[in-house]
Amino acid sequence: MIPVQGLQGARVAVLGLGRSGLSAARALAAGGAVPLCWDDNPAARSKAEAEGLCVQDLHHPSAFEDIARLIVSPGIPHLYPTPNAIIATAQMAGVPVDNDIGLFFQSFATGAWASFDTAPRVVAITGSNGKSTTSALIHHILTEAGRDSQLAGNIGRGVLDIDPPEDGGVVVLELSSYQTDLARSLTPDVAVFTNLSPDHLDRHAGMGGYFAAKRRLFAEGGPDRAVIGVDEPEGRFLAGQLAEGPTDDRVIRISVAAKLAGPGWNIFARKGFLSEYRKGKQVASIDLRSVKGLPGAHNHQNACAAFAACRSLGLAPRVIEAAFHSFGGLPHRSQLIAEAGGVAYVNDSKATNVDSAVKALEAFQNIRWICGGLQKEGGLGPLNAVSGAVRKAYVIGREAAAFAVQLDAEAQVCGTMAQAVEAAIVDAEQGDTVLLAPAAASFDQYDSFEKRGDDFVAEVRARLGLDPVETV
Protein backbone atom coordinates (compact mmCIF):
# COMPACT_ATOMS: atom_id res chain seq x y z
CA MET A 1 0.00 0.00 0.00
CA ILE A 2 1.06 3.61 -0.65
CA PRO A 3 -0.07 5.60 2.44
CA VAL A 4 -1.38 9.04 1.45
CA GLN A 5 0.92 11.87 2.47
CA GLY A 6 0.02 15.47 3.22
CA LEU A 7 -3.46 14.90 4.64
CA GLN A 8 -2.64 13.71 8.16
CA GLY A 9 -5.51 14.49 10.51
CA ALA A 10 -7.69 15.85 7.68
CA ARG A 11 -11.25 14.74 7.02
CA VAL A 12 -11.41 13.51 3.42
CA ALA A 13 -14.64 12.51 1.66
CA VAL A 14 -14.55 9.49 -0.67
CA LEU A 15 -17.33 9.13 -3.26
CA GLY A 16 -17.72 5.74 -4.93
CA LEU A 17 -16.65 2.57 -3.19
CA GLY A 18 -15.52 0.32 -6.00
CA ARG A 19 -11.93 -0.83 -6.36
CA SER A 20 -10.34 2.63 -6.57
CA GLY A 21 -12.58 4.18 -3.90
CA LEU A 22 -11.95 1.52 -1.28
CA SER A 23 -8.24 1.55 -2.10
CA ALA A 24 -8.15 5.34 -1.64
CA ALA A 25 -10.01 5.13 1.66
CA ARG A 26 -7.57 2.53 3.01
CA ALA A 27 -4.54 4.52 1.87
CA LEU A 28 -5.94 7.72 3.37
CA ALA A 29 -6.47 5.99 6.71
CA ALA A 30 -2.96 4.49 6.55
CA GLY A 31 -1.56 7.98 6.07
CA GLY A 32 -3.39 9.39 9.09
CA ALA A 33 -6.35 11.02 7.34
CA VAL A 34 -9.98 10.42 8.31
CA PRO A 35 -11.85 9.05 5.26
CA LEU A 36 -15.62 9.57 5.18
CA CYS A 37 -17.05 7.19 2.59
CA TRP A 38 -20.22 7.15 0.53
CA ASP A 39 -21.73 5.14 -2.31
CA ASP A 40 -25.38 5.18 -3.39
CA ASN A 41 -25.22 1.37 -3.54
CA PRO A 42 -26.09 -0.11 -0.11
CA ALA A 43 -23.99 -3.22 -0.80
CA ALA A 44 -20.90 -1.07 -1.42
CA ARG A 45 -21.51 0.84 1.81
CA SER A 46 -21.87 -2.41 3.73
CA LYS A 47 -18.56 -3.64 2.35
CA ALA A 48 -16.83 -0.45 3.50
CA GLU A 49 -18.38 -0.69 6.95
CA ALA A 50 -17.24 -4.31 7.23
CA GLU A 51 -13.66 -3.04 6.76
CA GLY A 52 -14.11 -0.58 9.61
CA LEU A 53 -14.37 2.48 7.37
CA CYS A 54 -16.64 5.35 8.35
CA VAL A 55 -19.67 5.68 6.07
CA GLN A 56 -21.32 9.10 5.95
CA ASP A 57 -24.10 10.35 3.68
CA LEU A 58 -22.50 13.00 1.48
CA HIS A 59 -25.89 14.19 0.25
CA HIS A 60 -26.48 15.93 3.57
CA PRO A 61 -26.32 19.74 3.30
CA SER A 62 -23.61 19.96 5.97
CA ALA A 63 -21.58 17.06 4.56
CA PHE A 64 -18.69 19.24 3.38
CA GLU A 65 -18.11 21.26 6.49
CA ASP A 66 -14.46 20.84 7.51
CA ILE A 67 -13.70 18.53 4.56
CA ALA A 68 -10.20 18.95 3.08
CA ARG A 69 -10.77 17.11 -0.20
CA LEU A 70 -13.27 14.97 -2.11
CA ILE A 71 -11.87 11.83 -3.76
CA VAL A 72 -13.99 10.62 -6.68
CA SER A 73 -14.06 7.26 -8.46
CA PRO A 74 -13.44 7.48 -12.22
CA GLY A 75 -16.92 6.42 -13.33
CA ILE A 76 -18.61 9.41 -11.68
CA PRO A 77 -18.95 12.52 -13.90
CA HIS A 78 -17.51 15.70 -12.40
CA LEU A 79 -18.26 18.12 -15.25
CA TYR A 80 -19.91 16.65 -18.36
CA PRO A 81 -22.57 15.77 -19.30
CA THR A 82 -23.74 16.92 -15.84
CA PRO A 83 -21.75 17.01 -12.60
CA ASN A 84 -22.78 14.46 -10.00
CA ALA A 85 -24.89 16.21 -7.33
CA ILE A 86 -22.43 15.43 -4.54
CA ILE A 87 -19.50 16.73 -6.58
CA ALA A 88 -21.44 19.88 -7.42
CA THR A 89 -22.09 20.44 -3.69
CA ALA A 90 -18.39 20.01 -2.91
CA GLN A 91 -17.43 22.45 -5.65
CA MET A 92 -19.91 25.02 -4.33
CA ALA A 93 -18.35 24.59 -0.89
CA GLY A 94 -14.89 25.21 -2.33
CA VAL A 95 -13.67 21.68 -1.56
CA PRO A 96 -10.94 20.47 -3.97
CA VAL A 97 -11.92 17.41 -6.00
CA ASP A 98 -9.29 14.76 -6.72
CA ASN A 99 -8.95 11.02 -7.44
CA ASP A 100 -6.72 8.12 -6.45
CA ILE A 101 -4.23 8.95 -9.21
CA GLY A 102 -3.69 12.41 -7.76
CA LEU A 103 -3.23 10.92 -4.30
CA PHE A 104 -0.70 8.44 -5.68
CA PHE A 105 1.53 11.05 -7.31
CA GLN A 106 1.24 13.23 -4.21
CA SER A 107 2.41 10.33 -2.01
CA PHE A 108 4.75 8.23 -4.17
CA ALA A 109 8.12 9.69 -3.15
CA THR A 110 9.23 9.10 0.45
CA GLY A 111 12.21 9.79 2.66
CA ALA A 112 13.35 6.19 2.17
CA TRP A 113 14.48 7.15 -1.33
CA ALA A 114 17.45 9.02 0.15
CA SER A 115 19.19 5.67 0.68
CA PHE A 116 18.47 4.40 -2.86
CA ASP A 117 21.13 4.35 -5.55
CA THR A 118 18.45 4.88 -8.21
CA ALA A 119 15.18 6.68 -7.53
CA PRO A 120 12.02 4.77 -8.52
CA ARG A 121 10.33 5.92 -11.69
CA VAL A 122 6.79 6.05 -13.07
CA VAL A 123 5.85 5.29 -16.67
CA ALA A 124 2.28 6.44 -17.44
CA ILE A 125 0.42 5.40 -20.58
CA THR A 126 -2.68 7.05 -22.01
CA GLY A 127 -4.46 7.21 -25.39
CA SER A 128 -7.61 5.83 -26.98
CA ASN A 129 -6.49 2.35 -27.98
CA GLY A 130 -3.64 0.08 -27.01
CA LYS A 131 -3.13 1.44 -23.49
CA SER A 132 -3.55 -1.91 -21.78
CA THR A 133 -1.39 -3.90 -24.17
CA THR A 134 1.32 -1.23 -24.15
CA SER A 135 1.29 -1.06 -20.34
CA ALA A 136 1.41 -4.83 -19.94
CA LEU A 137 4.15 -5.10 -22.57
CA ILE A 138 6.34 -2.50 -20.83
CA HIS A 139 5.85 -4.31 -17.52
CA HIS A 140 6.68 -7.64 -19.17
CA ILE A 141 9.85 -6.29 -20.79
CA LEU A 142 11.07 -4.77 -17.52
CA THR A 143 10.36 -8.00 -15.63
CA GLU A 144 12.12 -10.11 -18.25
CA ALA A 145 15.10 -7.72 -18.01
CA GLY A 146 15.29 -8.29 -14.25
CA ARG A 147 13.99 -4.84 -13.29
CA ASP A 148 11.63 -4.46 -10.34
CA SER A 149 8.32 -3.50 -11.95
CA GLN A 150 4.70 -3.13 -10.84
CA LEU A 151 1.65 -2.74 -13.10
CA ALA A 152 -1.25 -0.63 -11.84
CA GLY A 153 -4.04 1.83 -12.66
CA ASN A 154 -6.64 0.61 -15.15
CA ILE A 155 -4.78 -2.70 -15.34
CA GLY A 156 -3.20 -4.82 -12.67
CA ARG A 157 -3.52 -3.53 -9.12
CA GLY A 158 -5.17 -0.38 -7.83
CA VAL A 159 -2.62 2.43 -7.92
CA LEU A 160 -2.60 2.88 -4.14
CA ASP A 161 -2.56 -0.88 -3.52
CA ILE A 162 0.93 -1.40 -4.93
CA ASP A 163 3.95 -2.00 -2.72
CA PRO A 164 6.30 0.90 -1.94
CA PRO A 165 8.89 0.66 -4.73
CA GLU A 166 12.36 -0.71 -4.18
CA ASP A 167 15.65 0.86 -5.24
CA GLY A 168 15.42 1.43 -9.00
CA GLY A 169 11.84 0.13 -9.19
CA VAL A 170 9.47 1.13 -11.98
CA VAL A 171 5.71 1.58 -11.68
CA VAL A 172 3.82 1.22 -14.98
CA LEU A 173 0.43 2.95 -14.96
CA GLU A 174 -2.37 2.70 -17.50
CA LEU A 175 -4.42 5.88 -17.22
CA SER A 176 -7.79 6.64 -18.80
CA SER A 177 -9.05 10.09 -19.75
CA TYR A 178 -11.34 9.96 -16.71
CA GLN A 179 -8.27 9.62 -14.49
CA THR A 180 -6.01 12.17 -16.16
CA ASP A 181 -8.84 14.71 -16.39
CA LEU A 182 -9.32 14.97 -12.62
CA ALA A 183 -6.01 14.11 -10.93
CA ARG A 184 -4.57 17.15 -9.15
CA SER A 185 -1.03 15.73 -9.25
CA LEU A 186 0.43 14.19 -12.43
CA THR A 187 4.22 13.78 -12.39
CA PRO A 188 5.32 10.72 -14.40
CA ASP A 189 8.96 10.30 -15.38
CA VAL A 190 7.99 8.85 -18.77
CA ALA A 191 4.59 9.54 -20.36
CA VAL A 192 3.20 7.70 -23.40
CA PHE A 193 0.45 8.85 -25.77
CA THR A 194 -0.55 5.96 -28.03
CA ASN A 195 -3.19 7.48 -30.34
CA LEU A 196 -6.51 9.30 -30.36
CA SER A 197 -9.90 8.36 -31.78
CA PRO A 198 -13.47 9.30 -30.75
CA ASP A 199 -14.48 7.76 -27.42
CA HIS A 200 -16.19 8.93 -24.21
CA LEU A 201 -17.25 12.09 -26.03
CA ASP A 202 -20.29 12.68 -23.83
CA ARG A 203 -18.06 12.65 -20.74
CA HIS A 204 -15.69 15.25 -22.23
CA ALA A 205 -18.16 17.35 -24.27
CA GLY A 206 -16.55 16.41 -27.58
CA MET A 207 -13.16 15.60 -29.08
CA GLY A 208 -11.55 18.81 -27.84
CA GLY A 209 -12.35 18.01 -24.24
CA TYR A 210 -11.31 14.39 -24.69
CA PHE A 211 -7.92 15.39 -26.10
CA ALA A 212 -7.49 18.03 -23.39
CA ALA A 213 -7.96 15.34 -20.72
CA LYS A 214 -5.22 13.20 -22.30
CA ARG A 215 -2.95 16.20 -22.83
CA ARG A 216 -2.90 17.01 -19.09
CA LEU A 217 -0.55 14.07 -18.48
CA PHE A 218 2.07 15.87 -20.58
CA ALA A 219 1.34 19.57 -20.24
CA GLU A 220 0.86 19.48 -16.46
CA GLY A 221 2.84 16.33 -15.76
CA GLY A 222 6.12 17.60 -17.21
CA PRO A 223 7.62 14.15 -17.88
CA ASP A 224 11.36 13.79 -18.46
CA ARG A 225 10.56 11.85 -21.62
CA ALA A 226 7.39 11.87 -23.73
CA VAL A 227 6.59 9.07 -26.18
CA ILE A 228 4.04 10.41 -28.66
CA GLY A 229 2.11 8.58 -31.36
CA VAL A 230 2.03 11.00 -34.31
CA ASP A 231 -0.34 9.22 -36.68
CA GLU A 232 -3.16 11.64 -35.80
CA PRO A 233 -3.13 15.46 -35.90
CA GLU A 234 -3.51 15.66 -32.12
CA GLY A 235 -0.38 13.60 -31.56
CA ARG A 236 1.64 15.73 -33.97
CA PHE A 237 0.36 18.86 -32.25
CA LEU A 238 1.25 17.50 -28.82
CA ALA A 239 4.76 16.47 -29.90
CA GLY A 240 5.30 19.93 -31.37
CA GLN A 241 4.19 21.62 -28.17
CA LEU A 242 6.50 19.56 -25.98
CA ALA A 243 9.68 19.70 -28.09
CA GLU A 244 12.02 22.69 -28.08
CA GLY A 245 13.02 21.87 -31.65
CA PRO A 246 13.56 19.05 -34.17
CA THR A 247 16.60 17.67 -32.29
CA ASP A 248 14.97 17.61 -28.84
CA ASP A 249 15.18 13.92 -27.90
CA ARG A 250 13.05 14.38 -24.79
CA VAL A 251 10.21 13.71 -27.24
CA ILE A 252 10.21 10.31 -28.95
CA ARG A 253 7.85 10.18 -31.91
CA ILE A 254 6.33 6.83 -32.92
CA SER A 255 4.32 5.80 -35.99
CA VAL A 256 2.93 2.86 -37.93
CA ALA A 257 1.71 5.06 -40.79
CA ALA A 258 4.94 6.54 -42.08
CA LYS A 259 8.70 6.40 -41.96
CA LEU A 260 9.71 9.17 -39.57
CA ALA A 261 12.55 11.35 -40.80
CA GLY A 262 14.41 14.15 -39.10
CA PRO A 263 17.20 14.64 -36.57
CA GLY A 264 15.22 13.70 -33.47
CA TRP A 265 14.45 10.36 -31.78
CA ASN A 266 12.01 8.42 -33.98
CA ILE A 267 10.63 4.87 -33.80
CA PHE A 268 8.30 3.47 -36.43
CA ALA A 269 7.04 0.15 -37.80
CA ARG A 270 6.48 -0.54 -41.50
CA LYS A 271 5.77 -3.85 -43.21
CA GLY A 272 6.33 -5.69 -39.95
CA PHE A 273 9.72 -4.16 -39.10
CA LEU A 274 10.31 -1.81 -36.17
CA SER A 275 13.09 0.75 -36.72
CA GLU A 276 14.73 3.14 -34.30
CA TYR A 277 16.41 6.29 -35.66
CA ARG A 278 18.42 8.86 -33.70
CA LYS A 279 19.99 11.94 -35.24
CA GLY A 280 18.95 10.70 -38.66
CA LYS A 281 20.70 7.32 -38.35
CA GLN A 282 19.20 3.89 -37.77
CA VAL A 283 20.39 2.38 -34.50
CA ALA A 284 18.10 -0.65 -34.12
CA SER A 285 15.67 -2.87 -36.05
CA ILE A 286 13.31 -5.66 -34.98
CA ASP A 287 11.31 -8.07 -37.15
CA LEU A 288 7.84 -8.09 -35.55
CA ARG A 289 6.24 -10.49 -38.01
CA SER A 290 7.08 -13.57 -35.96
CA VAL A 291 5.99 -12.09 -32.62
CA LYS A 292 2.78 -14.06 -32.04
CA GLY A 293 1.59 -11.99 -29.09
CA LEU A 294 1.55 -8.77 -31.15
CA PRO A 295 -0.36 -9.38 -34.42
CA GLY A 296 -1.32 -6.56 -36.76
CA ALA A 297 -0.37 -2.92 -37.26
CA HIS A 298 -2.19 -1.77 -34.12
CA ASN A 299 -0.06 -4.10 -32.01
CA HIS A 300 3.03 -2.96 -33.88
CA GLN A 301 2.14 0.54 -32.71
CA ASN A 302 1.96 -0.83 -29.15
CA ALA A 303 5.37 -2.43 -29.70
CA CYS A 304 6.82 0.91 -30.85
CA ALA A 305 5.45 2.68 -27.77
CA ALA A 306 6.75 0.01 -25.38
CA PHE A 307 10.12 -0.10 -27.15
CA ALA A 308 10.44 3.69 -26.85
CA ALA A 309 9.51 3.72 -23.16
CA CYS A 310 11.95 0.93 -22.33
CA ARG A 311 14.74 2.50 -24.36
CA SER A 312 14.22 5.72 -22.39
CA LEU A 313 14.73 3.63 -19.23
CA GLY A 314 18.08 2.40 -20.54
CA LEU A 315 17.23 -1.09 -21.87
CA ALA A 316 19.11 -2.43 -24.87
CA PRO A 317 17.23 -3.21 -28.11
CA ARG A 318 18.08 -6.93 -28.04
CA VAL A 319 16.79 -7.26 -24.47
CA ILE A 320 13.50 -5.68 -25.57
CA GLU A 321 13.31 -7.87 -28.67
CA ALA A 322 13.74 -11.07 -26.64
CA ALA A 323 10.94 -9.98 -24.30
CA PHE A 324 8.63 -9.27 -27.27
CA HIS A 325 8.82 -12.94 -28.24
CA SER A 326 7.88 -14.17 -24.76
CA PHE A 327 4.89 -11.81 -24.47
CA GLY A 328 1.66 -13.79 -24.60
CA GLY A 329 -0.73 -10.89 -25.13
CA LEU A 330 -3.67 -9.89 -22.96
CA PRO A 331 -7.08 -11.50 -22.55
CA HIS A 332 -9.72 -9.95 -24.83
CA ARG A 333 -7.11 -8.10 -26.93
CA SER A 334 -6.29 -9.99 -30.15
CA GLN A 335 -6.09 -13.10 -27.94
CA LEU A 336 -5.64 -16.37 -29.82
CA ILE A 337 -7.86 -18.74 -27.83
CA ALA A 338 -7.90 -21.83 -30.06
CA GLU A 339 -6.80 -23.31 -33.37
CA ALA A 340 -8.65 -26.28 -34.83
CA GLY A 341 -9.07 -27.66 -38.35
CA GLY A 342 -6.94 -24.88 -39.77
CA VAL A 343 -9.22 -22.20 -38.28
CA ALA A 344 -7.97 -19.66 -35.72
CA TYR A 345 -10.28 -18.22 -33.04
CA VAL A 346 -9.37 -14.74 -31.78
CA ASN A 347 -10.97 -12.85 -28.89
CA ASP A 348 -10.74 -9.07 -29.27
CA SER A 349 -13.71 -8.16 -27.10
CA LYS A 350 -11.81 -5.03 -26.00
CA ALA A 351 -12.49 -3.61 -29.49
CA THR A 352 -15.36 -1.58 -28.07
CA ASN A 353 -15.22 1.23 -30.61
CA VAL A 354 -14.99 1.47 -34.39
CA ASP A 355 -11.33 2.51 -34.48
CA SER A 356 -10.12 -0.45 -32.42
CA ALA A 357 -12.27 -2.83 -34.50
CA VAL A 358 -10.77 -1.39 -37.69
CA LYS A 359 -7.31 -2.25 -36.38
CA ALA A 360 -8.45 -5.79 -35.56
CA LEU A 361 -9.88 -6.29 -39.05
CA GLU A 362 -6.63 -5.05 -40.58
CA ALA A 363 -4.63 -7.63 -38.61
CA PHE A 364 -6.19 -10.79 -40.10
CA GLN A 365 -7.30 -12.38 -43.37
CA ASN A 366 -10.35 -14.52 -44.29
CA ILE A 367 -12.35 -13.25 -41.32
CA ARG A 368 -15.56 -14.67 -39.90
CA TRP A 369 -16.40 -11.53 -37.96
CA ILE A 370 -18.56 -11.53 -34.81
CA CYS A 371 -19.61 -7.95 -34.11
CA GLY A 372 -22.36 -5.78 -32.66
CA GLY A 373 -23.57 -4.48 -29.35
CA LEU A 374 -24.34 -1.02 -28.01
CA GLN A 375 -23.28 1.18 -30.93
CA LYS A 376 -21.35 4.37 -30.19
CA GLU A 377 -21.45 7.71 -32.01
CA GLY A 378 -19.96 8.20 -35.44
CA GLY A 379 -21.40 5.36 -37.51
CA LEU A 380 -19.72 2.28 -38.99
CA GLY A 381 -18.29 3.77 -42.19
CA PRO A 382 -14.60 3.20 -41.30
CA LEU A 383 -15.34 -0.51 -40.79
CA ASN A 384 -16.68 -0.85 -44.30
CA ALA A 385 -13.51 0.73 -45.66
CA VAL A 386 -11.43 -2.18 -44.27
CA SER A 387 -13.91 -5.03 -44.62
CA GLY A 388 -12.32 -6.58 -47.69
CA ALA A 389 -10.92 -9.46 -45.63
CA VAL A 390 -14.33 -10.18 -44.05
CA ARG A 391 -15.94 -13.27 -45.54
CA LYS A 392 -19.06 -12.83 -43.43
CA ALA A 393 -20.25 -10.90 -40.37
CA TYR A 394 -22.28 -12.48 -37.57
CA VAL A 395 -24.04 -9.71 -35.68
CA ILE A 396 -25.02 -9.88 -32.00
CA GLY A 397 -26.78 -7.48 -29.65
CA ARG A 398 -30.26 -6.18 -29.01
CA GLU A 399 -30.03 -3.97 -32.10
CA ALA A 400 -28.31 -6.54 -34.30
CA ALA A 401 -30.54 -5.93 -37.32
CA ALA A 402 -29.93 -2.16 -37.29
CA PHE A 403 -26.18 -2.80 -36.93
CA ALA A 404 -26.13 -5.36 -39.74
CA VAL A 405 -27.77 -3.14 -42.36
CA GLN A 406 -24.92 -0.62 -42.01
CA LEU A 407 -22.29 -3.18 -43.06
CA ASP A 408 -21.11 -3.67 -46.63
CA ALA A 409 -19.99 -7.23 -45.89
CA GLU A 410 -22.47 -10.11 -46.02
CA ALA A 411 -24.08 -10.15 -42.59
CA GLN A 412 -26.17 -12.64 -40.62
CA VAL A 413 -28.27 -11.39 -37.72
CA CYS A 414 -27.61 -13.78 -34.85
CA GLY A 415 -28.55 -11.84 -31.73
CA THR A 416 -26.72 -13.95 -29.16
CA MET A 417 -23.10 -15.00 -28.84
CA ALA A 418 -24.07 -18.67 -28.85
CA GLN A 419 -25.86 -18.32 -32.19
CA ALA A 420 -23.02 -16.29 -33.71
CA VAL A 421 -20.29 -18.72 -32.67
CA GLU A 422 -22.28 -21.71 -33.88
CA ALA A 423 -22.93 -20.11 -37.27
CA ALA A 424 -19.31 -19.00 -37.69
CA ILE A 425 -17.96 -22.46 -36.87
CA VAL A 426 -20.37 -24.10 -39.33
CA ASP A 427 -19.27 -21.70 -42.10
CA ALA A 428 -15.53 -21.56 -41.31
CA GLU A 429 -13.05 -23.16 -43.69
CA GLN A 430 -9.35 -23.91 -43.38
CA GLY A 431 -7.38 -20.65 -43.34
CA ASP A 432 -10.22 -18.62 -41.80
CA THR A 433 -10.09 -16.61 -38.58
CA VAL A 434 -13.19 -16.41 -36.40
CA LEU A 435 -12.74 -12.97 -34.86
CA LEU A 436 -14.74 -11.34 -32.08
CA ALA A 437 -14.19 -7.59 -32.60
CA PRO A 438 -17.56 -6.03 -31.65
CA ALA A 439 -16.95 -2.34 -32.55
CA ALA A 440 -19.50 -1.56 -29.84
CA ALA A 441 -19.98 -1.47 -26.09
CA SER A 442 -21.18 -4.60 -24.32
CA PHE A 443 -23.76 -3.19 -21.94
CA ASP A 444 -26.84 -4.22 -23.91
CA GLN A 445 -26.08 -7.86 -23.10
CA TYR A 446 -23.09 -8.02 -20.72
CA ASP A 447 -21.79 -6.23 -17.64
CA SER A 448 -18.41 -5.64 -19.27
CA PHE A 449 -16.32 -6.38 -22.34
CA GLU A 450 -14.53 -9.01 -20.24
CA LYS A 451 -17.80 -10.90 -19.67
CA ARG A 452 -18.53 -10.71 -23.39
CA GLY A 453 -15.08 -12.08 -24.22
CA ASP A 454 -15.41 -14.83 -21.61
CA ASP A 455 -18.72 -15.88 -23.20
CA PHE A 456 -17.07 -16.04 -26.64
CA VAL A 457 -14.23 -18.16 -25.27
CA ALA A 458 -16.65 -20.49 -23.49
CA GLU A 459 -18.86 -20.93 -26.57
CA VAL A 460 -15.89 -21.60 -28.87
CA ARG A 461 -14.28 -24.13 -26.58
CA ALA A 462 -17.56 -25.89 -25.86
CA ARG A 463 -18.32 -26.31 -29.56
CA LEU A 464 -14.78 -27.46 -30.32
CA GLY A 465 -14.91 -29.98 -27.49
CA LEU A 466 -12.09 -28.27 -25.54
CA ASP A 467 -11.88 -27.82 -21.81
CA PRO A 468 -11.68 -24.20 -20.51
CA VAL A 469 -7.89 -24.01 -20.89
CA GLU A 470 -7.02 -26.57 -23.55
CA THR A 471 -6.17 -25.70 -27.15
CA VAL A 472 -5.43 -27.97 -30.10
Side-chain angles (χ1 to χ4, degrees), residues 1 41 43 66 126 171 251 448-449:
M1 178 185 293
N41 185 341
D66 195 30
T126 195
V171 176
V251 176
S448 66
F449 73 84

Side-chain angles (χ1 to χ4, degrees), residues 20 112 201 354 416 472:
S20 66
L201 298 189
V354 167
T416 68
V472 296

Side-chain angles (χ1 to χ4, degrees), residues 181-238:
D181 196 23
L182 192 59
R184 292 175 63 85
S185 295
L186 284 169
T187 53
D189 298 282
V190 180
V192 178
F193 178 87
T194 59
N195 50 58
L196 195 77
S197 61
D199 206 1
H200 310 303
L201 298 189
D202 58 335
R203 181 67 179 266
H204 298 292
M207 278 294 287
Y210 180 48
F211 175 54
K214 302 286 190 184
R215 181 180 174 276
R216 288 192 75 240
L217 183 64
F218 303 85
E220 300 188 28
D224 296 332
R225 276 256 159 68
V227 177
I228 309 293
V230 294
D231 288 340
E232 293 85 30
E234 293 87 354
R236 294 189 288 274
F237 172 79
L238 180 58

